[in-house]
Amino acid sequence: MSLNGFPKSRFNELLDLFDRYKGVTVEITFFTSATHAPLPLNVFRERAAILKDRMEQARKRGYRAGINILTTIGHHNENLDNSLKGDYTFMTNIDGKVCNGSYCPNDKKMQEYVRNIYELTALAGPDYIWIDDDVRFGHMPIGYGCFCDNCLGIFSSESGVLYTRESLKKALDEGTVDEKLKIREAWLQHNRNTISGLFKLIEKTVHSANPSMPIGFMTGDRFFEGYDFTSWAKILSGPDSAEVIWRPGGGYYADINTNDLAGKSHDIGRQVSLFTGKCQIN
Ligand SMILES: [Zn+2]
């Protein structure tokens, strides 16, 4: 295993810096990557081993330590040459265009990949695991997904109507307000179900390794996903009622435009109002 990209000396310097300002840093969360498409499994395995060691070093100095999985299904096209490759279904929009850095959460093979990375993460022994906000439907450059053939098939079973991408687009955009509302509400429920299914898999995987492991989820405004925070939190808590943590986010990461700050305050306010568990504002 090469540690060239993750020199221990630099990590120790960072810990020394934290130590100099005791009380400022309480916990250290390690991100699995700096790029936003899913990692190949062998790379993820190598990093989980490095993080296991780094978390142990952090704990020796008195810090809690956890892992943030930056890409579960992937955010967008980035570093694709060094990212996951294989027979997986890409996130697909209603016109059939795909995002090559994000995958369909209903794809059975992708679900197996997700199971593997969460198992590796849980077995590395973090104090908690964060799911990042790639678990959503809105990925550059395609916008809203997922309308792959498999997802259309699932929706056809849920709704009792056989849809193609073309006929579904027509149904969502044409007809009376009541007709459009009915199918749009059904699609929101379909999206809630898809995320619920993915979270059931993650919960089972993580809590099989450690039943009390806290799992966290980073959200943003989730209008297209159905804002099902209460139900998703209950799923992530699992049968043993493990702690669930929530990180409302979205949008604004710099201090140069106060207008954006006002917007983000509203984003976070909406998210917090729909979640009653433990929240961490970032
Ligand atoms: Zn799909």
Side-chain angles (χ1 to χ4, degrees), residues 104 146-148 151:
C104 174
C146 181
F147 298 91
C148 73
C151 285

Side-chain angles (χ1 to χ4, degrees), residues 89-92 103-107 137 145-152 154 187 190 194:
T89 307
F90 292 122
M91 187 66 75
T92 307
Y103 295 89
C104 174
N106 283 324
D107 175 5
F137 300 105
C146 181
F147 298 91
C148 73
D149 292 348
N150 183 33
C151 285
L152 284 182
I154 294 167
W187 188 259
H190 166 82
T194 295

Side-chain angles (χ1 to χ4, degrees), residues 222-280:
R222 290 292 172 258
F223 304 118
F224 195 72
E225 292 78 1
Y227 256 115
D228 207 10
F229 291 2
T230 303
S231 168
W232 295 334
K234 196 163 184 298
I235 290 168
L236 291 174
S237 182
D240 294 329
S241 302
E243 184 186 5
V244 171
I245 41 180
W246 219 255
R247 197 168 79 211
Y252 172 75
Y253 296 98
D255 297 334
I256 51 173
N257 186 341
T258 47
N259 191 33
D260 287 348
L261 176 62
K264 181 152 185 165
S265 303
H266 285 287
D267 293 352
I268 289 178
R270 274 190 292 272
Q271 294 169 64
V272 171
S273 72
L274 289 163
F275 184 71
T276 53
K278 183 174 170 184
C279 247
Q280 179 172 317

Side-chain angles (χ1 to χ4, degrees), residues 2-275:
S2 166
L3 289 175
N4 291 342
F6 307 95
K8 203 161 192 169
S9 56
R10 293 295 303 276
F11 180 64
N12 286 333
E13 282 174 30
L14 184 66
L15 291 180
D16 291 343
L17 177 69
F18 291 155
D19 285 353
R20 271 209 298 282
Y21 301 97
K22 277 282 174 210
V24 173
T25 302
V26 176
E27 65 182 29
I28 302 172
T29 302
F30 295 83
F31 278 48
T32 48
S33 65
T35 54
H36 290 78
L39 294 172
L41 193 56
N42 63 321
V43 175
F44 197 100
R45 186 176 291 113
E46 285 178 6
R47 293 195 182 174
I50 296 169
L51 294 185
K52 183 176 195 303
D53 170 67
R54 301 292 157 94
M55 288 189 293
E56 281 163 9
Q57 299 304 314
R59 282 193 204 99
K60 277 185 192 155
R61 302 214 197 184
Y63 304 109
R64 292 182 79 228
I67 294 178
N68 185 97
I69 298 184
L70 184 65
T71 57
T72 299
I73 59 171
H75 295 252
H76 53 251
N77 297 339
E78 184 182 24
N79 192 30
L80 296 181
D81 287 348
N82 300 302
S83 298
L84 182 68
K85 289 184 183 65
D87 183 22
Y88 303 98
T89 307
F90 292 122
M91 187 66 75
T92 307
N93 75 9
I94 200 155
D95 296 318
K97 293 196 172 70
V98 301
C99 172
N100 297 100
S102 177
Y103 295 89
C104 174
N106 283 324
D107 175 5
K108 292 272 178 262
K109 204 156 175 269
M110 191 60 197
Q111 289 171 355
E112 185 54 23
Y113 168 84
V114 170
R115 196 191 65 71
N116 276 315
I117 63 169
Y118 278 83
E119 185 173 68
L120 287 166
T121 303
L123 293 175
D127 292 323
Y128 50 87
I129 296 174
W130 280 106
I131 304 164
D132 212 277
D133 68 354
D134 59 322
V135 177
R136 66 176 189 272
F137 300 105
H139 297 86
M140 293 187 294
I142 60 165
Y144 291 129
C146 181
F147 298 91
C148 73
D149 292 348
N150 183 33
C151 285
L152 284 182
I154 294 167
F155 185 61
S156 293
S157 309
E158 290 166 344
S159 62
V161 181
L162 200 60
Y163 286 105
T164 62
R165 275 183 284 279
E166 292 74 20
S167 66
L168 181 58
K169 188 176 184 179
K170 210 165 147 49
L172 289 165
D173 286 345
E174 296 177 15
T176 65
V177 170
D178 281 349
E179 284 165 349
K180 283 189 287 190
L181 202 56
K182 191 163 173 251
I183 190 159
R184 288 178 183 205
E185 283 176 350
W187 188 259
L188 281 181
Q189 188 55 47
H190 166 82
N191 285 344
R192 290 185 193 109
N193 296 347
T194 295
I195 293 178
S196 293
L198 188 69
F199 282 178
K200 280 176 191 165
L201 169 72
I202 290 172
E203 183 281 323
K204 191 163 175 253
T205 305
V206 169
H207 290 147
S208 293
N210 180 350
S212 62
M213 176 83 70
I215 304 177
F217 183 34
M218 176 186 185
T219 54
D221 268 329
R222 290 292 172 258
F223 304 118
F224 195 72
E225 292 78 1
Y227 256 115
D228 207 10
F229 291 2
T230 303
S231 168
W232 295 334
K234 196 163 184 298
I235 290 168
L236 291 174
S237 182
D240 294 329
S241 302
E243 184 186 5
V244 171
I245 41 180
W246 219 255
R247 197 168 79 211
Y252 172 75
Y253 296 98
D255 297 334
I256 51 173
N257 186 341
T258 47
N259 191 33
D260 287 348
L261 176 62
K264 181 152 185 165
S265 303
H266 285 287
D267 293 352
I268 289 178
R270 274 190 292 272
Q271 294 169 64
V272 171
S273 72
L274 289 163
F275 184 71

